[in-house]
Amino acid sequence: MNSAFLSCQCVNLTVGSVEILHNATLKFPLNGLTILRGENGTGKSCFLRTLLGLLPIQSGHILINGHTPTYMRQSIGYIPQKFSQAAPMIPVIDHVAAAINGSKWGFALPHIRRNKAKALLEMVGAYSLAQRPLGVISGGERQRVALAQALANTPSLLILDEPFAALDDKAHTSLLQLFAKLHKDDHINILITAHGALSLEACPIPTREILLEKGALHV
Amino acid sequence: MFEFTFMQHAFLGCFLVSLLAGTIGWFLLLRRQTFAAHALPHIGFSGAAASILLHIPSLLGMVLSSMLGGFFMGDGRTYAPSQRDTTTGLILATSLGIGAWCLHKANSASNQATTLLFGDVLSLDIQTLFALAGLTLFCLLCLAFMWRPLLFASLSPDLAQAQGVASSMINRLFLLIAALASSACAEIAGALLSFSLMIGPAAVALKLELSPLKGLLLSIIGSLCLSWGGLILSWYSDAPLAFWISLGGMGLYITACFLKRHAAKNST
């Protein structure tokens, strides 16, 4: 996806009484790894939710690869900052299987979805967790399962909100290596929010940083 | 006992209702909507009480009022669990008040209220059985149609929303189906205890950490064991069916806890 880009034109985004974006205009490529930075409370998560079409902007235009966020969301995989506490007793594989074409109506034959879910778990190095209930796995393992869920519908863009927040150094490096693998093998671009320094030598793919500050986006 | 027509009807009615109770109950527990499972048949009770006053079939009154309750309980603006419970509680209290007033006005509080509250499985006629069969088929078809988005929104609400699943619409549709199912269950176990048929077996399936289809299957089998077992026990004892169902539900859950603990001990 070399032509992948994100374009914001005169975007105004306010959540409650907090102004997140004020007349923000910026166009930047999404090829490789894009890191969105900004201080706590600047609205990085809200901006990501806007890119998914979950939060409406007051005015302006946001285009991802030339399309609106609502149009694009079937092609975007998303991992929120906080994992849902719903259904911790259900096995990991079923959580991943449910995400495969999960927005389509009708019944799906379970064995087809479970086979694809196994392949996804294998892809992110979490196959051994397949039969364990979701509620008993660690934060790093949960991150990998969430990644398998986000990859369920073969997205062209992955959006991850603070993916390194609860990870130790080893898991941190391992996740960056996984990003590089996903980009090289499957041409998936990745947009993340992050606070601290990242060991980017583990992720040898094109990388850029975007700063969200005082209602504006800067490259 | 099987030579009596009323017992054949009772077993058939229990079979139909168990199919529904096991399926809907599993989803209700998975979605943490146990309070809704408790409230819906009680709201249905008020509709049935109103139907006595209006001289219309009680099953119809029960279905209409519980669906109305389910519609408001599934309001998208009350999707957060804390707000959801408040709304459910308010709707429940209001409808029970209306139900009490209807029974008072109908001057038939004692006998008919007892039947509505505790059910009368032995008086199921062929028309009611057809109505139950229709309700069961309709609810199961609806659930099959919304299976994927309902399961996705129940397991991963955030991801489902990000993928375009209309969670509030799914919630409302599901509660409408749950309302229909609870009306059917109330015909067997009564408004007071119909949710025990939904909750007990589903709680067992979730406790055993089974996958969705296995969990649903166990939940249905559990409901069937409770309702048929309860029917047989109430034939040989003087206790009502609802008593055996509620007691059996607790028994099944305690057994599941024991099995789970035993399995955990063996694996360490």
Side-chain angles (χ1 to χ4, degrees), chain A residues 49 52 54 73-74 76-84 86 95-103 134 142-153 158-161, chain B residues 79 149 151-167:
Chain A
R49 287 178 65 79
L52 293 157
L54 295 175
R73 64 180 164 200
Q74 294 290 334
I76 297 176
Y78 171 59
I79 301 183
Q81 188 174 1
K82 285 182 185 166
F83 296 122
S84 159
H95 278 271
V96 179
I100 299 167
N101 291 327
S103 59
L134 189 74
R142 182 72 185 84
Q143 190 69 260
R144 282 178 180 268
V145 173
L147 199 53
Q149 287 178 298
L151 292 168
N153 298 309
L158 271 181
I159 293 182
L160 298 89
D161 197 355
Chain B
Y79 194 63
L151 188 63
F152 191 20
S154 305
L155 294 181
S156 311
D158 295 335
L159 296 188
Q161 234 181 338
Q163 284 283 304
V165 173
S167 300

Side-chain angles (χ1 to χ4, degrees), chain B residues 159-182:
Chain B
L159 296 188
Q161 234 181 338
Q163 284 283 304
V165 173
S167 300
S168 56
M169 186 186 73
I170 291 289
N171 188 42
R172 180 165 269 169
L173 281 176
F174 173 67
L175 277 176
L176 284 174
I177 297 169
L180 279 175
S182 71

Side-chain angles (χ1 to χ4, degrees), chain A residues 68-206:
Chain A
T68 60
T70 313
Y71 180 87
M72 279 297 290
R73 64 180 164 200
Q74 294 290 334
S75 313
I76 297 176
Y78 171 59
I79 301 183
Q81 188 174 1
K82 285 182 185 166
F83 296 122
S84 159
Q85 299 299 312
M89 72 298 279
I90 300 293
V92 161
I93 190 165
D94 294 296
H95 278 271
V96 179
I100 299 167
N101 291 327
S103 59
K104 292 185 178 164
W105 294 100
F107 190 79
L109 290 173
H111 68 276
I112 296 173
R113 294 214 295 178
R114 283 172 77 89
N115 284 344
K116 192 173 174 193
K118 277 181 195 169
L120 285 166
L121 285 169
E122 204 158 12
M123 190 174 172
V124 298
Y127 184 73
S128 59
L129 305 172
Q131 301 305 329
R132 295 179 65 187
L134 189 74
V136 303
I137 61 177
S138 72
E141 290 170 335
R142 182 72 185 84
Q143 190 69 260
R144 282 178 180 268
V145 173
L147 199 53
Q149 287 178 298
L151 292 168
N153 298 309
T154 50
S156 56
L157 173 65
L158 271 181
I159 293 182
L160 298 89
D161 197 355
E162 301 281 0
F164 302 104
L167 301 187
D168 59 23
D169 288 346
K170 193 180 162 195
H172 178 130
T173 308
S174 166
L175 189 59
L176 278 168
Q177 286 168 342
L178 193 56
F179 286 168
K181 183 174 175 286
L182 288 171
H183 180 69
K184 282 178 182 164
D185 297 350
D186 303 294
H187 310 292
I188 296 171
N189 299 310
I190 298 133
L191 170 61
I192 64 170
T193 58
H195 272 292
L198 302 177
S199 355
L200 289 171
E201 59 275 14
C203 187
I205 57 172

Side-chain angles (χ1 to χ4, degrees), chain B residues 55-98:
Chain B
H55 303 291
I56 58 170
S58 63
L59 181 58
L60 181 66
M62 202 169 247
V63 164
L64 289 177
S65 64
S66 55
M67 282 186 80
L68 194 67
F71 180 80
F72 286 112
M73 282 155 59
D75 187 351
R77 287 165 294 181
T78 58
Y79 194 63
S82 55
Q83 181 61 33
R84 202 168 60 188
D85 283 355
T86 309
T87 311
T88 304
L90 286 169
I91 293 171
L92 173 63
T94 311
S95 68
L96 282 178
I98 294 170

